[in-house]
Amino acid sequence: MAAPRAEEARRAAGGGKSATTVTWAEARHFRPAAMAARKIMRMAERQARSLRPLPRPAQRIGQWRVAQGFAPSTAGYGPLRDLPDWAFADGRPAPLWKGQLRRLQENEALARRAVKLSRILAAAAERGEPQGVPPPRLRPKGSQRPPVQTSTNQ
């Protein structure tokens, strides 16, 4: 007797079958939607796993050297590159290598260029010329421009 009463209550409340009652024929139509929902859940789980913090990648030796205050490579600046490896027993310095001579010449050329440019700037300042690059001219805003003459404005 309980079943007819429940059916009557359903009909009185909604006028038909309840939302939770689904026949086998109707369930076949919902199967692709359920599969799509499961696929979306799997994708969301994968994405959540990928958002976890990853361990830091190993530093390259050059990055570690820079972090420690050294040159990125052993050929960079520093006492190992610039100071002589040995000296004579009587105290005379060792002869310079080709790389050391080349670096000395490059440094000297750079110093000469810096002095030359500073003299040019000092001379320009004495003459009263502006120093450096002039600032770019800015265009006026659109509301400040005169209106464009068209055939309808005449």
Side-chain angles (χ1 to χ4, degrees):
M1 288 278 180
R5 285 187 189 164
E7 188 67 30
E8 289 173 13
R10 267 190 236 123
R11 284 186 186 151
K17 297 178 182 176
S18 69
T20 58
T21 306
V22 178
T23 65
W24 177 252
E26 293 170 336
R28 285 192 331 217
H29 297 293
F30 292 119
R31 204 175 302 153
M35 290 172 54
R38 274 186 254 133
K39 185 176 182 181
I40 290 172
M41 288 300 294
R42 283 195 305 266
M43 289 173 50
E45 288 173 2
R46 274 192 223 125
Q47 190 176 21
R49 271 188 251 128
S50 69
L51 294 177
R52 292 182 187 147
L54 298 174
R56 286 183 28 183
Q59 279 186 329
R60 293 185 173 176
I61 189 67
Q63 293 170 337
W64 178 86
R65 289 177 60 85
V66 169
Q68 303 301 319
F70 301 124
S73 71
T74 55
Y77 54 86
L80 291 177
R81 184 192 77 169
D82 297 332
L83 296 179
D85 291 336
W86 56 277
F88 289 102
D90 60 359
R92 290 180 294 144
L96 296 177
W97 301 345
K98 289 181 183 178
Q100 289 172 324
L101 288 172
R102 178 184 46 83
R103 282 192 294 275
L104 284 174
Q105 290 172 352
E106 288 173 359
N107 290 342
E108 184 179 347
L110 182 65
R112 288 183 190 278
R113 184 166 184 250
V115 169
K116 178 182 173 185
L117 292 174
S118 67
R119 286 182 183 159
I120 291 172
L121 284 175
E126 288 177 6
R127 290 190 302 261
E129 296 177 6
Q131 295 182 3
V133 178
R137 292 186 176 176
L138 301 176
R139 293 182 178 177
K141 291 188 175 180
S143 62
Q144 296 176 353
R145 292 184 187 169
V148 177
Q149 296 294 327
T150 62
S151 60
T152 57
N153 289 350
Q154 293 178 357

